[in-house]
C-alpha cells in the first residue's frame, strides 16, 4: 500500500492527536512540515483551499480534518481499535466534544495574555502579530470564549475528565479510544507548548497520570519528507476509485456537480471541485492542480458545509 504522509508542524495540537494515533497503531509514516500560518502554496496545491493542520496524504488522496484521518487510519490498521465494539457512538461523541468544546475552552485559557507571551517569548513582535491576524481570519464570524470564561470552563472539564478516569486507565476503560486522543491534545498544549500555564492541571492528578500514559504511546516510526516530494508523488499517483461507494444525497446536488466544501466555523476557506462521492460519513471532490495532478480530496460530513459552486 502507498505510504502515509502527514502534513503538520510540531506545535500543532491536532497534529499531536494524529501523531499519537500513528504511535498507538505502530504505523510508519512520512513527515512533511508545513507553515503554521499563510501563505501555504504547497498545502493549497494538494488541498485546493483547506489550510487547517494537519492533513494526510496517501498517494493522490488527500484527507482533511483529524476526525476523518482517524477513520482512515482505523480502516488501514484496524487493531488496536479506536472504536471498540459497543462504544463506537460514545467514543465518537466524546471525541467530537473534545475536539470542539474542550479544545476552544483550553485554547482560550492557553492563549490568554500570559500564555501568548510565553508562546512568543524571544520572537519579534511581528511574529505574534502575524499569527494573531492569521487565526483571526480563520475565525471570522466565530464566537470565542474570553480568557476568564475559558479558564472556568476548562477547570470544569478537567474535573469531568478526572471523574471519567476514576478506576479507569483511559477515558472509556482499559484501552485508549479516539476519545482519549481528542481530549489529550488541548491539554498537551497547556503542558508542553505553554508550560507556564500548566498549573491548571495540578488539581487533577489523575488526568496528569493519564496524560503520561497517552504520551508513552509515542509517534510511530517517522521519516522526513519534503513538500516537493509529496507533490511529485501525488502527480505520479492515481487516486483510489470511489465508483462503488453508496451515494447519500441530503442536498439535492447530484454527483458530477461543481461544489465547494468548507468548515462550518474555524477555517472557512473553501475547496472547490467535482463532487464524486457523498457517503453516509464523508464527501470526496475531484480536482486538478498544475503541480500535483488529479487529486481526490476527502472531507467528513460532520463539521463541513457542502454548496453548489457559483457559476
Amino acid at each position: 500500500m502507498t505510504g502515509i504522509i502527514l502534513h503538520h508542524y510540531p506545535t500543532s495540537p491536532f497534529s499531536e492527536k494524529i501523531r499519537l494515533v500513528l504511535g498507538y497503531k505502530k504505523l510508519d509514516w512520512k513527515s512533511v512540515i508545513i507553515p503554521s500560518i499563510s501563505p501555504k502554496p504547497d498545502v493549497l496545491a494538494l488541498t485546493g483551499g483547506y489550510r487547517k493542520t494537519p492533513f494526510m496524504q496517501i498517494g493522490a488522496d488527500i484527507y482533511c480534518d483529524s476526525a476523518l484521518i482517524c477513520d482512515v487510519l482505523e480502516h488501514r490498521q484496524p487493531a488496536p481499535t479506536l472504536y471498540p465494539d459497543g462504544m463506537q457512538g460514545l467514543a465518537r461523541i466524546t471525541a467530537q466534544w473534545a475536539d470542539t468544546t474542550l479544545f476552544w475552552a483550553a485554547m482560550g485559557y492557553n492563549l490568554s495574555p500570559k500564555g501568548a507571551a510565553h508562546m512568543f517569548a524571544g520572537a519579534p513582535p511581528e511574529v505574534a502579530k502575524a499569527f494573531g491576524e492569521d487565526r483571526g481570519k480563520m475565525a471570522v464570524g466565530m464566537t470565542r470564549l474570553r480568557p476568564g470564561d475559558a479558564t472556568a470552563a476548562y477547570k470544569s472539564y478537567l474535573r469531568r475528565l478526572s471523574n471519567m478516569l476514576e478506576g479507569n486507565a483511559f477515558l472509556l476503560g482499559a484501552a485508549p479510544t479516539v476519545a482519549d486522543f481528542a481530549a489529550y491534545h488541548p491539554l498537551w498544549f497547556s503542558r508542553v507548548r505553554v508550560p507556564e500555564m500548566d498549573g491548571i492541571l495540578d488539581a487533577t492528578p489523575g488526568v496528569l497520570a493519564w496524560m503520561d500514559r497517552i504520551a508513552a504511546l509515542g509517534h510511530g516510526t517517522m521519516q522526513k519528507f519534503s513538500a516537493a516530494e509529496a507533490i511529485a508523488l501525488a502527480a505520479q499517483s492515481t487516486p483510489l476509485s470511489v465508483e462503488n461507494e453508496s451515494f447519500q444525497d441530503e442536498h439535492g446536488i447530484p454527483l458530477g456537480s461543481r461544489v465547494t466544501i468548507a468548515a462550518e466555523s474555524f477555517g472557512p476557506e473553501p475547496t472547490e471541485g467535482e463532487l464524486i462521492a457523498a457517503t453516509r460519513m464523508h464527501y470526496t471532490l475531484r480536482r486538478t492542480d498544475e503541480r500535483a495532478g488529479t487529486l481526490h480530496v476527502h472531507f467528513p460530513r460532520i463539521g463541513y458545509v457542502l454548496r453548489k459552486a457559483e457559476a
Side-chain angles (χ1 to χ4, degrees), residues 109 154 158 187-188 190-191 197-205 207-208 211:
Y109 167 81
Y154 193 18
L158 288 170
L187 281 59
W188 166 87
S190 302
R191 197 180 195 187
M197 306 295 289
D198 69 357
I200 198 168
L201 303 169
D202 292 341
T204 51
V207 170
L208 284 169
M211 291 182 71

Side-chain angles (χ1 to χ4, degrees), residues 89-99 161 164 171-172 179-180 182-183:
L90 180 58
R92 288 184 185 277
I93 287 173
T94 306
Q96 186 180 357
W97 164 81
D99 279 340
L161 291 173
M164 293 175 72
L171 292 179
L172 301 183
D180 291 273

